[in-house]
Amino acid sequence: MKLKSNCKINLNLKIVGLKDGYHLLESVFCPISLYDYIEIDKSDEDDILGMDIPLEENIMYKALKIIKKKYDIDKCVKIHIEKNIPMQAGLGGGSSNAATIIKGLNSLFNLNLSENEMIEVAKELGSDVPFFIVNKPSFVEGRGERITPIDNFNKIFGVLIFDDMYMSTKQVFQIYDECCLGDEKFYENDLERAVCKISGGDKINEIKSVLYASGCNKALMSGAGGSVFGLCNENELLNVYNKVKEKYNKVWMFESI
């Protein structure tokens, strides 16, 4: 079984409160056409190939173990992943991988789980995982568990830049709590101000300036960073991409899916 596992961008991100120690957010999540490729095969033992992460720490392995225990599955699978989505970049790549495993195992083992049943499994794995079960442009609230798909969402086009700014989501939220609470300035992504306080975080504003100068009509950090995207008209996409590639190595063209 061969599957595509896409990432997402946040078209905005507002921190609106705290509950039980967790930050509550309001954000528009948009899935985009940058993919990891995952292959799932039945095997004699469970294994994951293609990532240098200890098995027990891999979110795909955690998804596999939850599914096997919850639905009393005694068969094993080998998972091979070709990683293209940068990690710790605010794109939800790991969450997407976990959701893809849930959906893939649902099909492989003929579990006939509904979307809501898969979402309940996804909630055990992380805040962004339920979104990737739905995997449509959506208004997302709370810790990420309240997902409202947006009807008649117009397709968007853009370029994505990752300049090796690996961000710990936990650290970014800690800095936000320490330094940014009460800041009444308007930010489309509230976490940008926290990331910019981290060493090297000023790259965010530099990249945004390059994107605007290259022809984008909107530029924003995604999630907790450190990737930055720029949106533009479809007929300008290749031109913008070529300009940005002159300055950065890790650049992708994308469209919403």
Side-chain angles (χ1 to χ4, degrees):
M1 177 179 290
K2 296 181 179 180
L3 304 166
K4 294 199 296 186
S5 177
N6 63 275
C7 62
K8 58 81 180 168
I9 55 175
N10 298 80
L11 296 178
N12 71 336
L13 194 158
K14 307 303 294 180
I15 307 299
V16 297
L18 285 168
K19 183 178 181 181
D20 301 326
Y22 291 95
H23 293 83
L24 304 179
L25 60 84
E26 293 179 351
S27 180
V28 175
F29 282 35
C30 180
I32 63 169
S33 57
L34 172 59
Y35 302 95
D36 293 334
Y37 296 94
I38 295 175
E39 187 169 347
I40 306 175
D41 296 301
K42 292 181 180 178
S43 179
D44 294 332
E45 61 179 359
D46 293 325
D47 199 7
I48 296 177
L49 306 174
M51 292 187 72
D52 188 22
I53 297 176
L55 199 61
E56 295 290 341
E57 297 176 18
N58 193 306
I59 193 171
M60 292 185 290
Y61 185 72
K62 294 177 182 178
L64 170 62
K65 300 306 286 185
I66 290 172
I67 288 285
K68 288 182 66 172
K69 182 178 180 180
K70 191 176 184 69
Y71 298 102
D72 196 25
I73 296 169
D74 59 4
K75 298 180 177 64
C76 295
V77 298
K78 179 173 64 178
I79 298 167
H80 184 273
I81 181 166
E82 177 187 330
K83 277 300 279 184
N84 298 302
I85 301 167
M87 301 171 64
Q88 292 183 296
L91 300 170
S95 296
S96 174
N97 296 160
T100 300
I101 294 302
I102 293 170
K103 291 187 280 189
L105 295 177
N106 182 39
S107 177
L108 184 67
F109 293 127
N110 299 311
L111 300 177
N112 298 314
L113 302 180
S114 67
E115 183 177 273
N116 284 337
E117 287 173 316
M118 288 190 286
I119 286 173
E120 288 304 310
V121 174
K123 287 178 181 178
E124 299 183 44
L125 292 160
S127 298
D128 287 351
V129 184
F131 164 75
F132 285 104
I133 298 293
V134 178
N135 209 31
K136 298 175 182 176
S138 301
F139 182 60
V140 178
E141 302 173 87
R143 291 173 53 191
E145 78 282 3
R146 300 206 304 276
I147 304 161
T148 306
I150 300 171
D151 295 330
N152 302 318
F153 187 89
N154 292 327
K155 184 174 282 291
I156 60 174
F157 301 87
V159 295
L160 178 72
I161 299 170
F162 182 64
D163 195 30
D164 292 330
M165 291 180 59
Y166 297 94
M167 290 294 159
S168 161
T169 299
K170 181 178 180 180
Q171 181 189 15
V172 171
F173 275 104
Q174 284 177 339
I175 293 173
Y176 175 84
D177 289 343
E178 292 167 3
C179 306
C180 305
L181 283 175
D183 186 345
E184 298 301 326
K185 293 180 183 177
F186 175 76
Y187 294 85
E188 288 189 279
N189 181 340
D190 281 348
L191 296 179
E192 274 192 20
R193 48 187 148 163
V195 169
C196 288
K197 295 180 183 294
I198 297 173
S199 176
D202 53 351
K203 282 186 181 181
I204 295 295
N205 288 326
E206 171 196 307
I207 295 170
K208 288 171 67 176
S209 295
V210 169
L211 287 165
Y212 281 122
S214 300
C216 290
N217 51 50
K218 177 175 180 171
L220 196 66
M221 184 183 82
S222 184
S227 63
V228 182
F229 66 88
L231 303 182
C232 61
N233 295 328
E234 181 180 9
N235 59 1
E236 289 292 325
L237 181 57
L238 184 58
N239 184 46
V240 171
Y241 172 80
N242 287 333
K243 288 181 179 178
V244 171
K245 277 291 288 181
E246 294 177 0
K247 296 181 179 292
Y248 301 100
N249 293 321
K250 297 179 181 179
V251 182
W252 299 267
M253 290 187 288
F254 68 83
E255 60 185 55
S256 57
I257 58 174

